[in-house]
Amino acid sequence: MADITLDKSKTALLIADFYADMMSTLPHATERRVVEKTQALQTAARDARIRVCYSATVFRPGYVEISDRNKTFSQRKASGQPAVSDPVRLIHEAVRPIEGEVVVGKHRVNALYGTDLDMVLRANNIDTLILLGYATSGVVLSTTRYAADSDYRLYIVEDCCSDQDPEVHNFLTQRIFPRQAEVVQSGDVIRALAGYA
């Protein structure tokens, strides 16, 4: 059990790219009950009255935000699939935001880059981020690096993250993330939010 001490007035939970289609079907997510654990953590965060935030990758019609030089997203632009511009539509129904919670639509992997999330957090004196989502090797990795360089205190909730490649998930959470964040389990965070850490 991790010893987590949180100043709730300066802490936010970021549910990053928690896509309905991936979290409901990806074996790494379903076998580990990631949705249920995230739902419990979301409830605990709301009960503790910390700020709950969400991100999802969205684009305007025609994908005008995507450069042909962008290896990550240029294939999506070329696919012919219609763009989704409303981030809430992409978030898993079990953890959908409620009124007053911050939702950012992003156009790159990192939830802080090119969005107003960092401004919202700093405007509310948030210096600690509890981070989870899909994919561990995508939004979680990219946001962790950026947030650490921006001097946020970081907690990555390992059992609420998932990836297409479980080995990559394990490598990141065991070997890479501990250099810049505390890697924790949802139960420990829930206890800390309840004041029993």
Side-chain angles (χ1 to χ4, degrees):
M1 184 167 76
D3 182 20
I4 302 171
T5 303
L6 298 172
D7 180 341
K8 295 175 191 175
S9 68
K10 296 183 176 182
T11 301
L13 171 65
L14 175 57
I15 300 175
D17 298 12
F18 212 83
Y19 299 129
D21 56 348
M22 297 308 299
M23 304 317 277
S24 296
T25 60
L26 187 68
H28 192 238
T30 56
E31 291 165 7
R32 299 167 68 237
R33 302 184 67 239
V34 170
V35 171
E36 293 86 351
K37 291 174 183 177
T38 300
Q39 195 173 32
L41 179 53
Q42 179 193 52
T43 298
R46 288 172 175 167
D47 289 347
R49 298 188 178 187
I50 71 165
R51 190 166 300 278
V52 182
C53 307
Y54 307 80
S55 71
T57 305
V58 294
F59 299 102
R60 292 179 179 87
Y63 295 95
V64 296
E65 300 88 354
I66 299 177
S67 163
D68 292 338
R69 298 182 303 278
N70 188 304
K71 188 171 183 177
T72 301
F73 292 116
S74 59
Q75 291 178 348
R76 186 181 303 191
K77 182 176 183 178
S79 72
Q81 294 178 335
V84 176
S85 57
D86 178 7
V88 175
R89 280 185 47 202
L90 299 172
I91 298 170
H92 196 289
E93 58 275 3
V95 295
R96 285 262 167 93
I98 58 175
E99 186 174 353
E101 293 180 336
V102 176
V103 182
V104 295
K106 61 191 186 66
H107 311 304
R108 295 295 182 266
V109 177
N110 180 345
L112 293 166
Y113 177 79
T115 72
D116 61 2
L117 180 58
D118 183 62
M119 180 178 64
V120 169
L121 296 173
R122 292 186 189 282
N124 289 277
N125 298 314
I126 302 297
D127 64 16
T128 301
L129 269 183
I130 302 168
L131 175 60
L132 63 91
Y134 171 83
T136 314
S137 60
V139 68
V140 179
L141 172 61
S142 188
T143 304
T144 294
R145 293 294 207 192
Y146 193 97
D149 281 345
S150 300
D151 296 327
Y152 284 98
R153 180 179 297 110
L154 294 170
Y155 292 92
I156 298 171
V157 190
E158 184 275 332
D159 59 338
C160 292
C161 295
S162 194
D163 200 273
Q164 292 274 6
D165 188 335
E167 290 183 14
V168 170
H169 169 91
N170 291 338
F171 179 76
L172 289 170
T173 57
Q174 294 169 19
R175 303 288 298 278
I176 302 299
F177 292 160
R179 298 174 185 174
Q180 295 180 300
E182 299 297 324
V183 179
V184 295
Q185 299 300 304
S186 58
D188 294 329
V189 180
I190 289 169
R191 282 186 286 276
L193 290 171
Y196 303 117

